[in-house]
């Protein structure tokens, strides 16, 4: 039942506005399912593990936990399955079984069998990375099985070039993603994912920090002084990698997502952004767009003379920052010509001409007054801001001050941009190594030999933070295993340094932190210090769980000789320039920019900007107000002058009306969205509940001082337009006559759908005014789904509620924080208030509610800090102006899309669809072709219902703004401007505008999906997707759990529908099967693709999924779903998708159809089987 688990993944789609829902392709070719099952004993029913007559055999796993062997694999049957794979030509296997990280015996037995049968590559997940989460472990195992044979093939070819006996005396090692070297026989493909960038990290870390003196290039006055931490900036042709090193410890992560594939393996914490020298340049909607598309190595930028694409490199060439005569002449048909400066200039001129031709039809600004240089420099500024974004995320979101860091740049293109980026980031130091163009390769020669050993466990850290005897024994065993492996490679025991770790987390959370053993700090102290720094709080009173023991054995690699620190007496002043060139900088053209060849510079030489230094493989641009010193090793240490001083009060008062500048518009679009994204990362890191931390069921946004949406990070679509109404209501409420108003230190909370702009009660919105110099200048808000806030059913998603009061705590307006003090007593009373209503309960998980509310406050505080910094940097007047310009830009994009649709299809569009109970949703769209405005008239929609799928107006606004953003099909800012051209007509007391006491919990999760289907049907965009979120809740008086389940996506004119994915108004992740069974008393019996459920067509619809659960104790299980009666529509001849089904499988085998909305008690031995709908097909089957 789990053969499709890697295909389904976490069920989230990579781009929420991509109607085709494209996901990365899978590494594996075929899957066979093994009839085998291990169950953790902790929640198993007593009769399963009875001492006298247990139902299943018991065993002890490597974590020390008891497991039940429900089904052993039949190796004879497994052999038949493997023989079939051999007939298909398959030679490499990845073996991954549920809970094999605890009990690997079955997996290892299958692995041994496969090896005996002759499979050339067999990777077992329990050996590759024995950590919980089958999704990450399975992807990692697949990567190992896929990549290792390719590496082996390369090695065979590589070795053939050497004398036969050479490798007997020469060590052959490979760089791993964790920055260490491994021998050939211990190197797997999964360890090589980031091995190239890892080499660069080692290179700058070992050349900047001398372990013998504890000095870095940025702090060199004394050995005792704390060295400056450094950000690594590796800019290549198609992407840029950023990393951080503090001079002491590598920053490692145990799980990452690379190209959509989750990898569980120790890796250096390297963040990649799709921006490099080959990033393509576009002018769209009055904005400079850089990437993510790449010109790649071929055809490359225009200057490469291969009919390529306009790219960042072309901007540098046109501006004289890359000098053709110092660049290899390897271009053109004969590969003997220099970079084409004239061709690059013409490409920019063509861009200006193209914009002039289209400005009348699009309403966008003219570029006719822009010179080629101004245009190219504008693109460089935007490119630099795009690359600054991940650096801000790497530091600020983890509690570090970016201005206390230096910037180490390398890669072929990095030194061209480093000084400008450091100025934007407020960093004072830049380091450019003499081998910066090949620093990743140089780092290989300096890397340590590393061997790791790791095992999972399930223990509680002792109160005194000491290791238990069992823990001490485990670490000693792992230490011996790791050190013996290095000794076997030929290293001496005395050379080996050992680091020991515990992977720790608070009980009830899923955020683990790998903590290294220290003689000066206990494990608990170190864990809490990191937790406090990254999350802003600790969880007093909670046990600290040990998830893994880990040992890292290290043989240090070569250390470059410590460079002599140059005193001022050693400074030689300015050297003689080797050449002079013409180059463009922030203040315009400079005709006499000095050019220096690095080989002619001596230690102590000082080069002031603007200037250009040519290295063998890269070009260093020293910007205005920057000064480069050549150190004793020949490297460049650049002191960076500030690009912009904070705006003074006098300048703010004298500020004139701001005119829109396309460069600044593009930069502010990055900055605003970056702030909203950092709020989201803060919320994810600080939240406690599975809903927010793992499923990411939240959204964060910025608003103007009157509540207008400025930037909404692309989190959950159904939140997109709704939060604006919530913020506006609170502004009006607290500023109305008789109210106390808002003061600095106040934080507001609300969730009422009809009265206060909410979506449904579990979605609680926390709103904070941003004060600046005593006045409110903005608002920030975060909305998160709380798993339980009371009501008539656990999970607060009752299928049969008909009144709002049955769905949980209702909050119209409440100050969660007053004068800086968290009002725990008051909000506790509010959350428990539903218990006063007969038949209702107060919240069933107050602890998580309070923790998650604090996390939302923390996320808002992160946004406030960053917005204040932005106002200090640019001036409040300037920031507020660009908030307006960003909204106007989004409005222009939507108006243009509506005009284009009206010209092609007419000024009217109409669509009707129905809910399963027959409730009608009707939409008539009337478009003004001249202005691009439109009326969305929902007259004809049915009346509100005595059920809970009524939808408050905020849900309609969200569904429409989401649909419009998808139809624009460009990366436009998501804000209030998207709805500015739209006039809504929503009849009062209809399904979409119910009375204040009506039940609405299903409107947010069901009717929202149908609304999107109706809007997209009116625009003839694509067939219907599953039209449901398949809301499943279960629990008892001790806990509540909530999840939404994927289905099939609708097909479109150019794409097949994707199977097993979340669509439209939701994009929440599904809990990993192993985490689900470890934390909750349920057994997941099946999670698979529901083959054949998508509608047939020229482009078939995606299939739904099957998810089957069995309670391990008596639980209340509820399902709230749609499309169980009416099928998701096909389009243009495509067939409809299949409806879904909710089935109760009784212990006696009888199957009962439970309908679309049901709730009841389920006992051990019974199963709930949810079969989700498929998507509709597009076009007649058989047509081309």
């Amino acid at each position: 039942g789990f053969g499709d688990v890697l295909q389904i993944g976490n069920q989230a789609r990579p781009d929420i506005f991509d109607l085709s829902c494209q996901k990365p392709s899978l590494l594996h070719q075929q899957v066979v399912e093994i009839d085998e099952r291990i169950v953790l004993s902790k929640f198993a029913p007593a009769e399963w593990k009875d001492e006298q007559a247990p139902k299943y055999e018991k065993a002890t796993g490597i974590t020390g936990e008891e497991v039940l062997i429900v089904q052993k694999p039949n190796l004879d049957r497994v052999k038949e399955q493997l023989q079939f794979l051999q007939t298909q030509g398959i030679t490499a296997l990845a073996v991954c079984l549920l809970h094999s990280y605890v009990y690997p015996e079955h997996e290892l037995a299958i692995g041994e069998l496969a090896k005996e049968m002759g499979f050339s590559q067999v990777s077992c997940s329990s050996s590759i990375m024995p950590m919980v989460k089958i999704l990450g472990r399975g992807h990692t195992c697949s990567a190992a099985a896929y990549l290792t044979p390719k590496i082996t093939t390369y090695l065979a070819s590589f070795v053939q070039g050497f004398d036969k006996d050479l490798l007997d005396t020469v060590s052959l090692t490979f760089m791993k993603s964790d920055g260490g070297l491994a021998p050939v026989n211990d190197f797997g493909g999964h360890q090589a994912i980031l091995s190239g960038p890892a080499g660069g990290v080692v290179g700058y870390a070992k050349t900047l920090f001398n372990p013998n003196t504890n000095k870095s290039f940025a702090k060199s006055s004394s050995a005792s002084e704390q060295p400056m931490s450094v950000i690594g900036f590796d800019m290549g042709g198609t992407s840029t990698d950023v990393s951080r090193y503090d001079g002491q410890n590598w920053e490692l992560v145990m799980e990452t997502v690379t190209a959509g594939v989750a990898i569980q393996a120790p890796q250096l914490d390297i963040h990649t952004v799709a921006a490099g020298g080959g990033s393509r340049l576009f002018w769209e909607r009055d904005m400079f767009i850089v990437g993510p598309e790449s010109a790649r190595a071929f055809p490359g930028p225009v200057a490469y003379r291969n009919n390529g694409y306009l790219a960042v490199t072309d901007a540098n060439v046109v501006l004289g920052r890359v000098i053709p005569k110092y660049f290899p002449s390897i271009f053109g048909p004969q590969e003997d010509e220099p970079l084409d400066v004239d061709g690059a200039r013409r490409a920019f001129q063509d861009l200006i001409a193209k914009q002039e031709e289209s400005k009348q039809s699009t309403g966008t600004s003219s570029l006719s007054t822009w010179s080629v240089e101004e245009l190219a420099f504008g693109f460089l500024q935007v490119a630099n801001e795009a690359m600054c974004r991940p650096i801000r995320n790497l530091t600020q979101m983890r509690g570090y001050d970016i201005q206390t860091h230096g910037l180490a740049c390398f890669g072929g293109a990095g030194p061209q941009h480093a000084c400008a980026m450091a100025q934007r980031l407020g960093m004072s130091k830049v380091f450019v190594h003499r081998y910066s163009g090949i620093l990743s390769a140089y780092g290989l020669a300096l890397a340590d030999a590393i061997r790791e050993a790791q095992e999972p466990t399930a223990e509680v850290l002792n109160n005194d933070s000491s290791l238990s005897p069992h823990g001490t024994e485990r670490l000693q065993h792992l230490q011996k295993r790791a050190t013996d492996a290095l000794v076997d490679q030929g290293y001496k025991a005395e050379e080996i340094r050992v680091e020991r770790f515990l992977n720790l987390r608070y009980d009830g959370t899923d955020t683990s932190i790998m903590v290294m053993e220290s003689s000066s700090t206990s494990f608990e102290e170190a864990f809490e210090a990191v937790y406090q720094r990254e999350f802003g709080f600790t969880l007093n009173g909670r046990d600290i769980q040990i998830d893994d023991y880990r040992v890292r054995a290290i043989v240090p690699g070569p250390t470059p000789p410590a460079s002599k620190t140059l005193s001022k007496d050693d400074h030689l002043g300015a050297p003689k320039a080797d050449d002079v060139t013409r180059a463009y900088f922030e203040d315009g053209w400079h005709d006499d920019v000095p050019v220096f060849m690095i080989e002619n510079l001596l230690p102590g030489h000082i080069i002031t900007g603007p200037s250009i230094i040519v290295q063998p493989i890269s070009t260093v641009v020293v910007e205005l107000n920057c000064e480069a010193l050549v150190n004793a090793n020949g490297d460049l240490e650049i002191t960076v002058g500030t690009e912009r001083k904070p705006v003074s009060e006098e300048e703010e008062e004298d500020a004139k009306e701001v005119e829109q500048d396309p460069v600044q518009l593009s930069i502010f679009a990055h900055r605003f969205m970056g702030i909203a994204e950092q709020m989201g990362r803060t919320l994810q890191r600080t939240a406690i509940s599975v809903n927010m931390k793992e499923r990411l069921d939240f959204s964060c946004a910025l608003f103007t001082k009157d509540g207008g949406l400025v930037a909404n990070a692309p989190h959950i679509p159904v939140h997109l337009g709704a939060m604006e109404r919530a913020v506006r209501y609170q502004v009006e409420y607290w500023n109305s006559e008789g109210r106390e108003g808002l003061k600095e230190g106040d934080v507001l909370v609300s969730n009422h759908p009809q009265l206060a702009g909410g979506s449904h009660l579990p979605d609680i919105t926390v709103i904070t005014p941003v004060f600046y110099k005593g006045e409110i200048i903005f608002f920030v808000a975060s909305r998160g789904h709380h798993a339980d806030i009371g009501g008539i059913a656990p999970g607060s998603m009752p299928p049969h509620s008909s009144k709002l009061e049955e769905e949980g705590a209702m909050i119209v307006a409440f100050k969660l924080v007053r004068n800086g003090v968290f009002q725990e007593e008051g909000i506790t009373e509010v959350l428990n208030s539903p218990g006063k209503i007969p038949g209702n309960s107060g919240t069933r998980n107050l602890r998580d509610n309070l923790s998650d509310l604090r996390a939302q406050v923390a996320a808002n505080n992160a946004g406030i800090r960053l917005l204040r910094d932005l106002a200090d940097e640019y001036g409040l007047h300037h920031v507020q102006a660009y908030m307006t310009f960003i909204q106007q830009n989004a409005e222009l994009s939507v108006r243009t899309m509506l005009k284009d649709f009206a010209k092609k299809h007419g000024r009217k569009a109409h669509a009707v669809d129905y809910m399963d109970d027959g409730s009608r949703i009707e939409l008539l769209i009337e478009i003004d072709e001249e202005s691009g405005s439109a009326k969305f008239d929902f007259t004809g929609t049915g009346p509100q219902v005595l059920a809970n799928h009524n939808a408050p107006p905020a849900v309609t606004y969200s569904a429409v703004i989401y649909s419009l953003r998808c139809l624009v099909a460009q990366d436009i800012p998501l804000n209030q401007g998207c709805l500015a051209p739209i006039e809504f007509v929503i009849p009062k007391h209809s399904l979409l505008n119910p009375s204040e006491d009506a039940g609405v919990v299903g409107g947010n999760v069901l009717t929202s999906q149908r609304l999107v289907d109706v809007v997209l049907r009116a625009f003839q965009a694509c067939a219907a997707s599953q039209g449901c979120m398949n809301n499943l809740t279960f629990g008892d008086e001790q806990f509540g759990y909530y999840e939404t389940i994927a289905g099939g996506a609708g097909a479109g004119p150019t794409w097949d529908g994707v199977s097993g994915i979340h669509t439209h108004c939701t994009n929440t992740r599904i809990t990993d099967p192993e985490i689900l069974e470890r934390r909750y008393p349920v057994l997941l019996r099946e999670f698979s693709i529901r083959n054949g459920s998508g509608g047939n067509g020229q482009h078939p619809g995606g299939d739904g999924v099957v998810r089957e659960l069995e309670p391990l104790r008596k639980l209340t299980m509820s399902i709230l779903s749609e499309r169980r009666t009416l099928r998701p529509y096909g389009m243009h001849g495509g067939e409809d998708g299949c409806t879904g089904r909710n089935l109760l499988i009784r212990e006696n085998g009888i199957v009962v159809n439970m309908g679309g909305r049901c709730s009841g008690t389920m006992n051990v031995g019974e199963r709930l089987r949810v079969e989700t709908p498929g998507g509709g097909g597009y076009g007649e089957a058989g047509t081309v």
Side-chain angles (χ1 to χ4, degrees), residues 205-243:
K206 288 215 169 186
T207 53
L208 286 180
F209 294 87
N210 189 300
N212 300 319
T213 62
N214 194 33
K215 291 181 182 178
S216 80
F217 81 100
K219 295 268 186 156
S220 54
S221 60
S222 71
S224 62
E225 191 172 359
Q226 182 69 26
M228 176 184 272
S229 298
V230 176
I231 298 297
F233 169 61
D234 179 6
M235 182 179 177
T238 60
S239 64
T240 293
D241 297 312
V242 298
S243 55

Side-chain angles (χ1 to χ4, degrees), residues 586-654:
E586 188 173 14
D587 59 350
W589 280 110
H590 288 245
D591 293 326
D592 53 356
V593 176
V595 179
F596 302 93
M597 307 304 292
I598 191 69
E599 59 267 25
N600 296 334
L601 297 178
L602 300 175
H605 273 147
I606 296 174
I607 299 99
T608 57
S611 58
I612 293 174
I613 302 170
V614 179
Q615 293 182 324
I617 307 179
S618 59
T619 299
V620 183
V621 176
V622 183
E623 296 282 351
L624 293 163
N625 302 317
C626 295
E627 183 178 88
L629 169 68
V630 183
N631 70 13
N633 285 339
D635 308 321
L636 299 175
E637 299 179 9
I638 304 175
T639 301
V640 179
T642 57
E643 179 190 41
R644 180 186 292 107
K645 294 181 179 179
V647 177
S648 66
E649 290 187 19
E650 292 77 12
E651 290 172 318
E652 186 69 49
E653 290 174 1
D654 295 339

Side-chain angles (χ1 to χ4, degrees), residues 166-213:
L166 181 65
L167 294 181
D168 295 333
T169 57
V170 174
S171 174
L172 179 60
T173 56
F174 287 82
M175 173 64 82
K176 299 184 295 181
S177 299
D178 66 356
L181 298 175
V184 177
N185 59 1
D186 187 41
F187 185 66
H190 65 293
Q191 299 170 313
I193 304 294
L194 294 176
S195 56
V201 176
V202 172
Y204 79 75
K206 288 215 169 186
T207 53
L208 286 180
F209 294 87
N210 189 300
N212 300 319
T213 62

Side-chain angles (χ1 to χ4, degrees), residues 690 694-695 1041 1043 1069-1073 1075-1076 1080 1107:
V690 171
E694 295 296 316
R695 296 181 58 248
Y1041 172 82
E1043 69 180 21
R1069 299 179 181 181
I1070 197 82
T1071 306
D1072 186 273
I1075 293 290
L1076 181 74
Y1080 300 102
R1107 191 163 174 86

Side-chain angles (χ1 to χ4, degrees), residues 426-446:
M427 303 170 80
S428 61
K429 291 284 186 179
V430 170
F431 180 85
V432 183
H433 195 274
R434 61 192 179 281
Y435 302 142
S436 65
I438 55 169
L439 193 60
S440 292
Y442 184 59
L444 298 182
L446 305 177

